[in-house]
Amino acid sequence: AQKITQTQPGMFVQEKEAVTLDCTYDTSDQSYGLFWYKQPSSGEMIFLIYQGSYDEQNATEGRYSLNFQKARKSANLVISASQLGDSAMYFCAMREASFLSYTGANSKLTFGKGITLSVRP
Amino acid sequence: KAGVTQTPRYLIKTRGQQVTLSCSPISGHRSVSWYQQTPGQGLQFLFEYFSETQRNKGNFPGRFSGRQFSNSRSEMNVSTLELGDSALYLCASSLEGVNEQFFGPGTRLTVL
């Protein structure tokens, strides 16, 4: 069964510095997708970045980049130039290919426990 | 373009009651997934609906059920509520062939 591990209980970073949030995963599928979501105290899950298992380049979305190391089964999120608004819970998630429908639509994300990030002014 | 909306945002029920939560996906999205978030278990997949059909189901008891209407709006129902059902229930919608799932603000259910 698929599993996502996020072991950092809480992270602190100074404003304008970079921070790396760790994520390791376990799956027997060759095809899968990895996601990072941000959850502020309001509760809504905000999509940040996606990495496909066959993507050769690491994904980047603005200040977010994903350090994908397939052999080590890790998908760490790097946030550059942290801002106060980055303070939130961050979740790593995985979707296995077996849960893709013929339409290619999404289903069943498996989430890690999350990491709390606090940005200090 | 309006995002995913969930109603109600907050709900207080007592044990044994039943509850219905509603989710309206982004216009054009036909896939709707439901997740339960608790401090102890984290985020867990409940089920997914696509074109009015349940396509995937998580490991939850039969007290948890759902449905999807022809306009893609979805409802989930929890019968015979237990204290452990207190959670944030999140709904997400997605477009075929697109990786991203868009989440709503959630419904926070408290069972007393």
Side-chain angles (χ1 to χ4, degrees):
Chain A
Q2 64 275 31
K3 185 179 178 182
I4 298 284
T5 302
Q6 295 180 262
T7 57
Q8 297 159 308
M11 293 285 288
F12 293 88
V13 65
Q14 206 66 31
E15 193 178 8
K16 299 180 184 176
E17 291 186 349
V19 63
T20 298
L21 306 182
D22 295 342
C23 171
T24 58
Y25 60 91
D26 189 25
T27 178
S28 55
D29 273 14
Q30 296 300 311
S31 181
Y32 50 89
L34 295 158
F35 301 75
W36 276 92
Y37 281 86
K38 171 185 176 181
Q39 186 178 43
S41 56
S42 60
E44 186 171 353
M45 300 287 282
I46 302 168
F47 168 79
L48 296 178
I49 198 166
Y50 168 81
Q51 178 86 39
S53 58
Y54 291 116
D55 294 340
E56 294 185 356
Q57 301 282 340
N58 284 343
T60 59
E61 290 283 352
R63 295 186 298 111
Y64 305 105
S65 61
L66 199 151
N67 185 359
F68 181 48
Q69 297 186 46
K70 194 171 182 178
R72 296 179 61 184
K73 293 189 175 179
S74 74
N76 298 338
L77 177 71
V78 180
I79 305 174
S80 63
S82 297
Q83 302 171 356
L84 296 178
D86 293 336
S87 295
M89 281 282 285
Y90 288 81
F91 291 91
C92 179
M94 177 169 63
R95 182 202 64 210
E96 290 183 321
S98 56
F99 288 98
L100 284 173
S101 74
Y102 67 93
T103 67
N106 293 296
S107 71
K108 194 177 179 182
L109 292 176
T110 298
F111 286 87
K113 293 293 186 184
I115 302 168
T116 301
L117 176 66
S118 299
V119 180
R120 292 170 169 157
Chain B
K1 200 173 192 181
V4 178
T5 58
Q6 292 187 245
T7 56
R9 292 293 311 278
Y10 302 91
L11 208 49
I12 299 175
K13 292 285 187 178
T14 56
R15 280 184 301 171
Q17 288 187 309
Q18 75 166 19
V19 67
T20 299
L21 312 181
S22 179
C23 171
S24 293
I26 293 172
S27 178
H29 289 194
R30 291 192 291 161
S31 172
V32 174
S33 298
W34 288 89
Y35 295 85
Q36 181 197 63
Q37 185 177 22
T38 60
Q41 298 299 316
L43 277 149
Q44 293 185 286
F45 173 78
L46 279 156
F47 28 63
E48 184 220 1
Y49 286 87
F50 180 79
S51 292
E52 302 179 66
T53 301
Q54 187 182 89
R55 188 160 59 182
N56 282 306
K57 189 177 190 304
N59 189 25
F60 278 82
R63 299 185 298 107
F64 292 82
S65 63
R67 59 177 175 170
Q68 187 179 34
F69 302 95
S70 58
N71 63 356
S72 294
R73 190 177 71 84
S74 177
E75 288 182 347
M76 68 161 282
N77 185 77
V78 187
S79 63
T80 320
L81 284 165
E82 301 177 359
L83 296 179
D85 297 334
S86 294
L88 178 66
Y89 290 88
L90 292 161
C91 161
S93 75
S94 59
L95 197 59
E96 301 91 285
V98 176
N99 294 309
E100 181 179 347
Q101 287 192 24
F102 295 85
F103 281 80
T107 295
R108 189 166 295 278
L109 171 66
T110 302
V111 182
L112 302 176

